[in-house]
């Protein structure tokens, strides 16, 4: 788990699509990530989370970062989920330190 967390944090820090560290500070990049998280990812996960453990989803890296930050305060996460969906959105079928596209990276690393 520590290795995956370290890899995840390195990807967030070195994210090539935006200026390095852009997800750490208030600004357009972080605001867009929060918007995508709250308007798209969390509702999608809530919808599929009720389907059961067979559903496996992975968010884009910026959204994975915001979700990670939100879950660092479990009481706020539970409160926000219950207010929006009536239940706490589960983490079913999802490794919290995997973002979309990383599955292929992990497989490639096994063979190098």
């Amino acid at each position: 788990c520590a290795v995956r967390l370290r890899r995840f944090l390195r990807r967030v820090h070195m994210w090539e699509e935006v200026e390095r560290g852009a997800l750490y500070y208030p600004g357009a990049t972080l605001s867009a990530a929060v918007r995508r998280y709250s308007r798209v990812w969390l509702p999608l996960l809530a919808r599929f989370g009720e389907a059961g453990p067979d559903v496996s989803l992975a968010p884009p890296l910026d959204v994975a970062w915001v979700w990670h930050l939100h879950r660092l305060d479990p009481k706020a996460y539970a409160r926000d989920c219950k207010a929006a969906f009536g239940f706490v959105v589960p983490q079913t079928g999802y490794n919290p330190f995997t973002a979309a596209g990383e599955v292929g990276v992990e497989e490639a690393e096994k063979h190098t």
Side-chain angles (χ1 to χ4, degrees):
C1 190
V3 171
R4 286 186 174 176
L5 173 59
R6 188 170 46 246
R7 183 182 305 133
F8 174 71
L9 294 176
R10 186 178 325 119
R11 285 189 69 210
V12 168
H13 182 69
M14 304 297 280
W15 195 29
E16 296 174 0
E17 284 82 11
V18 297
E19 183 179 339
R20 184 181 285 184
L23 291 173
Y24 297 146
Y25 307 103
T29 301
L30 183 58
S31 293
V34 169
R35 205 170 30 257
R36 287 166 21 118
Y37 167 75
S38 62
R39 293 182 185 172
V40 179
W41 174 251
L42 206 53
L44 178 70
L45 194 64
R47 181 174 163 212
F48 284 102
E50 294 177 317
D54 292 337
V55 176
S56 182
L57 303 170
L61 183 61
D62 59 334
V63 174
W65 174 244
V66 174
W67 192 30
H68 172 71
L69 295 176
H70 196 191
R71 288 178 293 124
L72 287 176
D73 186 346
K75 289 180 183 178
Y77 181 75
R79 180 191 66 234
D80 296 344
C81 286
K82 286 179 183 178
F85 310 109
F87 62 95
V88 177
V89 177
Q91 189 175 297
T92 304
Y94 177 73
N95 175 335
F97 306 125
T98 301
E102 190 165 83
V103 174
V105 171
E106 289 178 0
E107 284 300 312
E109 287 177 351
K110 287 180 186 177
H111 301 289
T112 57

